[in-house]
C-alpha cells in the first residue's frame, strides 16, 4: 500500500496554520484537517459545512475575490459570493477600506449611490459634502453645486438662500442691482429711485393735502382747479 502525504504550502504560508493533509490510497481519497484549522479547509473562519450551506468555496478564503474574507463578509452582512453586494459600483473590499457600508448602496442616505458620489467627487459618507445645509442629491436636482456652499458667490450659502426664499443660483434675486447678501429686501420688487411704485402709477407731489395761500386744496382738484386758483396765488405774493 502506497501512501502520499501532501501539504497545501500556499495556504500554510498565507494563514500561518497547517490546513490539511491529503492522503491517497488505491481506490480512496480522504481529506484530513490539521489541528490548526479544524474543519476549515481554507482557514477563513467559516467551517467547511458553513461554507457549503452558503454556497461558498471551502478551499478559498475569499470566494468572490473582493478583498474581504468569507467570514468577514458574513460578519459585515455583505454577500461573500458577490464582489459588490449592494450593486453600487464599488467592490465590497473598497467600501470597507473607505469606511462605507458594503451592504448599503447609499451609505450616507442622501439619495445618491456610493459609486455615483465618488464619480462626482462627492463624499459618499456625508449627505452634505459642502456643508451648506442642502443634501447633495437636492443640489444636483436644483442645479446648484454640491461642492460649493455658495453656488452664486453672493455671500449667502445655498441653504441660507433657500431658507430666505432667494435664488441660490442668482446673486441678485430681485434684480435691483444689490447683491442678496447686502439687500435688506432681497426678494422685493425691483425699484428705481423716482420711478412709479406700481404699473401705470404717476408720481403726484400733491398726493397729500397741501396748504396754499391759506387755502386747503386737495389733489382731487385736478389741473383745471389749479388754474382757477392761480390769481389767488398772485395776490398772495403781492401782499
Amino acid at each position: 500500500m502506497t501512501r502520499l502525504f501532501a501539504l497545501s504550502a500556499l495556504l500554510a504560508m498565507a494563514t500561518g496554520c497547517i490546513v490539511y493533509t491529503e492522503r491517497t490510497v488505491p481506490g480512496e481519497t480522504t481529506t484530513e484537517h490539521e489541528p490548526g484549522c479544524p474543519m476549515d479547509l481554507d482557514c477563513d473562519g467559516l467551517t467547511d459545512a458553513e461554507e457549503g450551506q452558503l454556497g461558498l468555496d471551502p478551499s478559498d478564503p475569499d470566494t468572490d475575490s473582493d478583498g474581504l474574507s468569507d467570514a468577514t463578509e458574513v460578519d459585515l452582512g455583505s454577500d461573500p459570493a458577490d464582489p459588490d453586494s449592494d450593486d453600487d459600483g464599488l467592490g465590497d473590499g473598497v467600501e470597507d477600506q473607505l469606511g462605507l457600508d458594503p451592504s448599503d448602496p447609499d451609505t450616507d442616505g442622501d439619495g445618491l449611490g456610493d459609486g455615483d458620489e465618488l464619480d462626482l467627487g462627492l463624499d459618499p459618507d456625508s449627505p452634505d459634502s459642502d456643508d451648506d445645509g442642502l443634501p447633495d442629491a437636492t443640489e444636483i436636482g436644483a442645479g446648484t453645486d454640491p461642492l460649493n456652499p455658495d453656488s452664486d458667490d453672493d455671500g449667502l450659502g445655498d441653504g441660507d438662500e433657500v431658507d430666505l426664499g432667494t435664488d441660490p443660483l442668482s446673486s441678485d434675486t430681485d434684480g435691483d442691482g444689490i447683491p442678496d447678501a447686502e439687500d435688506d429686501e432681497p426678494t422685493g420688487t425691483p425699484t428705481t429711485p423716482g420711478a412709479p411704485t406700481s404699473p401705470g402709477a404717476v408720481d403726484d407731489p400733491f398726493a397729500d393735502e397741501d396748504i396754499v395761500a391759506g387755502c386747503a386744496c386737495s389733489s382731487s382738484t385736478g389741473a383745471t382747479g389749479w388754474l382757477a386758483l392761480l390769481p389767488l396765488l398772485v395776490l398772495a405774493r403781492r401782499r
Side-chain angles (χ1 to χ4, degrees):
M1 184 180 295
T2 303
R3 294 182 178 180
L4 177 62
F5 294 92
L7 290 176
S8 176
L10 180 61
L11 287 174
M13 291 175 62
T15 62
C17 64
I18 296 176
V19 182
Y20 67 92
T21 299
E22 187 178 81
R23 181 181 65 192
T24 303
V25 259
E28 178 185 358
T29 300
T30 61
T31 300
E32 296 177 355
H33 295 74
E34 295 294 333
C37 297
M39 305 305 293
D40 183 2
L41 187 62
D42 54 13
C43 210
D44 64 355
L46 294 176
T47 66
D48 298 344
E50 290 172 329
E51 296 209 51
Q53 291 174 351
L54 295 172
L56 306 177
D57 184 349
S59 65
D60 186 346
D62 181 10
T63 299
D64 56 10
S65 302
D66 61 357
L68 295 176
S69 73
D70 295 341
T72 298
E73 295 214 53
V74 169
D75 291 339
L76 291 173
S78 56
D79 185 350
D82 185 347
D84 182 9
S85 298
D86 54 12
D87 297 319
D88 62 357
L90 298 177
D92 295 342
V94 173
E95 294 209 56
D96 185 62
Q97 290 176 356
L98 294 174
L100 306 177
D101 186 347
S103 62
D104 186 346
D106 181 12
T107 299
D108 55 13
D110 64 354
L112 293 173
D114 296 339
D116 293 332
E117 293 213 52
L118 282 184
D119 290 341
L120 293 170
L122 305 176
D123 184 352
D125 200 26
S126 171
D128 182 7
S129 296
D130 57 8
D131 296 318
D132 63 356
L134 297 178
D136 295 338
T138 298
E139 295 216 53
I140 290 176
T144 54
D145 187 348
L147 289 172
N148 184 353
D150 182 9
S151 295
D152 56 11
D153 297 319
D154 63 353
L156 289 175
D158 295 342
D160 293 331
E161 295 217 50
V162 170
D163 291 340
L164 290 170
T166 55
D167 184 353
L169 288 173
S170 173
S171 58
D172 181 12
T173 299
D174 57 9
D176 61 358
I178 304 174
D180 291 341
E182 302 172 14
D183 198 340
D184 291 335
E185 296 183 4
T187 60
T189 303
T191 58
T192 302
T197 55
S198 62
V202 177
D203 237 354
D204 185 357
F206 302 102
D208 299 321
E209 263 193 342
D210 293 272
I211 304 299
V212 180
C215 176
C217 305
S218 171
S219 60
S220 62
T221 306
T224 304
W226 282 111
L227 290 174
L229 291 174
L230 189 58
L232 295 176
L233 292 173
V234 174
L235 289 174
R237 288 179 61 82
R238 288 179 177 177
R239 290 177 186 176

